[in-house]
Amino acid sequence: MTVLLTIICSLPVLTVGTAVSACYDVMIRIALDRDNGIIKPYFRAFGKNFKKGTIIWLICLVGIIFIGANYYEFEGISEGVRSVIMVIVLLLTVLMGFVLIYVFPLQARYENKVGTTLKNALFISIVQFPRSIGLLVINGLMVALGAFAPAVIPLLLFAECSAVFYFTATNMIKVFVALGDEDAKKKPVDEDEIPAEECDSEEAEEQVNTSPLEENKDAEEDVSQE
């Protein structure tokens, strides 16, 4: 359902960043077992991320167009120069892929300026390099599937999108925890949610454990008084 909403909300193209940010907002909550529905939380996150998510997407879109254009500008260039440019373009493609993977989960999770979110996405992706490579490969396969076979296997494409988004969200949670985000850890059951019988047994154990100590303290006080 979340992916379907994301696809629908991405149709205007300019809202892709906002839609993906909202998707990660919901997916992260689901992965943390804190979901309270899908539709209302999704559109609430969509509205919250609309401005910054749109700006981030437009910046990334310019980068994508620039990199894509460079793949077609190799005519009339010597083989050596062409190889150097190709390596640079490939490197930029990988870095852009890293940013696209991290920037929207970061936008969904934290309230920062657009420039800060973009810089954090690039920095964290490099620090988490092995994880970033794995996520880039998985997300790249999803994009390839969507580009080459959307009409042939739409149901599989939809299922794969859901799986990849969820897999990326679970990995982002690990990244958030590594960055010191305590709220990204799965919380233990609250004491208020512990059954009454368990609470009584815990209190009884505390009384059994503490009563001998209290008796010893009283005995010591009697001896000192004598």
Side-chain angles (χ1 to χ4, degrees), residues 143-163:
V143 173
L145 180 61
F148 294 107
V152 180
I153 44 176
L155 293 178
L156 179 59
L157 175 63
F158 181 78
E160 184 171 340
C161 286
S162 301

Side-chain angles (χ1 to χ4, degrees), residues 2 6 12 16 34 52 76 89 116 191 199 213:
T2 307
T6 303
V16 169
R34 300 177 193 169
K52 293 181 180 179
V89 173
T116 302
E191 293 181 359
C199 292
L213 294 175

Side-chain angles (χ1 to χ4, degrees), residues 45-56:
F46 188 93
K48 181 186 70 174
N49 293 288
F50 182 79
K51 182 178 179 180
K52 293 181 180 179
T54 302
I55 295 174
I56 289 172

Side-chain angles (χ1 to χ4, degrees), residues 77-89:
I77 302 177
S78 64
E79 189 66 28
V81 176
R82 184 181 303 175
S83 299
V84 173
I85 295 176
M86 193 65 177
V87 170
I88 295 174
V89 173

Side-chain angles (χ1 to χ4, degrees), residues 101 133-146 148 160 164:
I101 289 171
I133 289 292
L135 291 172
L136 183 62
V137 171
I138 293 172
N139 281 269
L141 290 174
M142 182 190 71
V143 173
L145 180 61
F148 294 107
E160 184 171 340
V164 170

Side-chain angles (χ1 to χ4, degrees), residues 64-213:
I64 293 171
I65 294 173
F66 173 78
I67 293 172
N70 279 276
Y71 279 100
Y72 299 97
E73 295 183 357
F74 295 129
E75 296 183 2
I77 302 177
S78 64
E79 189 66 28
V81 176
R82 184 181 303 175
S83 299
V84 173
I85 295 176
M86 193 65 177
V87 170
I88 295 174
V89 173
L90 287 174
L91 179 60
L92 290 175
T93 303
V94 172
L95 293 176
M96 176 57 68
F98 283 175
V99 170
L100 288 171
I101 289 171
Y102 283 86
V103 72
F104 298 114
L106 288 173
Q107 172 57 35
R109 182 71 181 173
Y110 304 109
E111 186 64 34
N112 283 314
K113 295 180 179 179
V114 170
T116 302
T117 302
L118 288 167
K119 287 188 292 185
N120 288 344
L122 179 59
F123 175 75
I124 295 170
S125 67
I126 295 174
V127 172
Q128 298 282 332
F129 187 76
R131 189 189 304 276
S132 301
I133 289 292
L135 291 172
L136 183 62
V137 171
I138 293 172
N139 281 269
L141 290 174
M142 182 190 71
V143 173
L145 180 61
F148 294 107
V152 180
I153 44 176
L155 293 178
L156 179 59
L157 175 63
F158 181 78
E160 184 171 340
C161 286
S162 301
V164 170
F165 270 112
Y166 184 78
F167 177 77
T168 304
T170 56
N171 274 270
M172 287 300 122
I173 291 172
K174 296 177 182 178
V175 173
F176 298 155
V177 172
L179 293 173
D181 186 348
E182 295 294 328
D183 189 58
K185 295 180 180 178
K186 287 190 176 182
K187 303 295 184 181
V189 179
D190 294 333
E191 293 181 359
D192 296 336
E193 297 177 359
I194 299 176
E197 294 180 0
E198 294 184 13
C199 292
D200 295 340
S201 62
E202 290 177 359
E203 291 176 0
E205 290 178 1
E206 289 180 359
Q207 291 177 357
V208 171
N209 292 332
T210 56
S211 57
L213 294 175

